[in-house]
Amino acid sequence: MPMRDLTDQDLKTPQGADAPHLRLDNVTVRLGGRPVLDWLDLSLDGPGLTVILGPNGAGKSQLLKVMHGLTEPEEGHVTWNGRPARQATREQALVFQKPILLRRSVAANIDFVLKARGLDRSKCATLLKHVGLLDKARQPARALSGGEAQRLALARALALDPKVLFLDEPTASLDPGSVLAIERIIQGAHDRGVKVILITHDIGQARRLADEVVFLHRGRVAEQASAHHFFATQGSAAARDFLQHRIVV
Ligand SMILES: Nc1ncnc2c1ncn2[C@@H]1O[C@H](COP(=O)(O)OP(=O)(O)OP(=O)(O)O)[C@@H](O)[C@H]1O
């Protein structure tokens, strides 16, 4: 594995001329004969950490896939800085709740994406150190614990120097220590100017990390507000019920 000293530059996100601007207009996705995103409108402007909250089945994961350009909506448009979402995927990285790792070493999982994108392969060690996995570099990735695997998935995502990082429940079913370790990595990316869009069911995590909250209900944006405002005063009964751990209808 190529090794060299750490530099600040290794983890610095290249800043484009613009902070990212996302627009979804009238987005509809139907699955199994029913709309899971239903004429949805949403704008996310500038950097910061946006948390997407909502009950099970609200359409959060589908929304993330549409924003990332992985799924084409049947109706409507998704644009990043005016370009169709599918043309912006190389500036973005997505981490799923259950990371899919190559049957190779921990280091090879990072090296693979650096090589594939023609990026500086010598930053592999830097990234592994950043997520606390340098001592496991030569171990099989498939033997990592859930929390370690998720940290490797984050390192692999950060290897792409994304301007936007999509995270779909990255800390689900992890212990509190692992959750905090991953939150520190997410916060670090946010502090370096990466736009982070995070789905979580952990309200404490949303309070700790969010600059802005988007509350999704039945495939539509029920609320969008600064985190401070959202947690102080919810504008919809659905969001109030959600925060009070009541069943959202
Ligand atoms: N392939 C599919 N075929 C039919 N329906 C689907 C399919 N994938 C997802 N759905 C439905 O779409 C709806 C939205 O799913 P999605 O996974 O986006 O919800 P979510 O808000 O992320 O839920 P959760 O919090 O449980 O992860 C759900 O009702 C789900 O059952």
Side-chain angles (χ1 to χ4, degrees), residues 29-37 52-65 97 168-169 199-201 216 218-219 242:
V29 171
R30 290 186 192 88
L31 292 170
R34 69 177 193 87
V36 296
L37 297 180
I52 301 174
L53 291 177
N56 292 130
K60 302 181 296 297
S61 296
Q62 291 301 325
L63 175 61
L64 216 60
K65 287 179 189 166
Q97 180 182 343
D168 193 348
E169 297 189 53
I199 295 176
T200 183
H201 282 288
L216 208 65
R218 296 182 177 172
F242 181 81

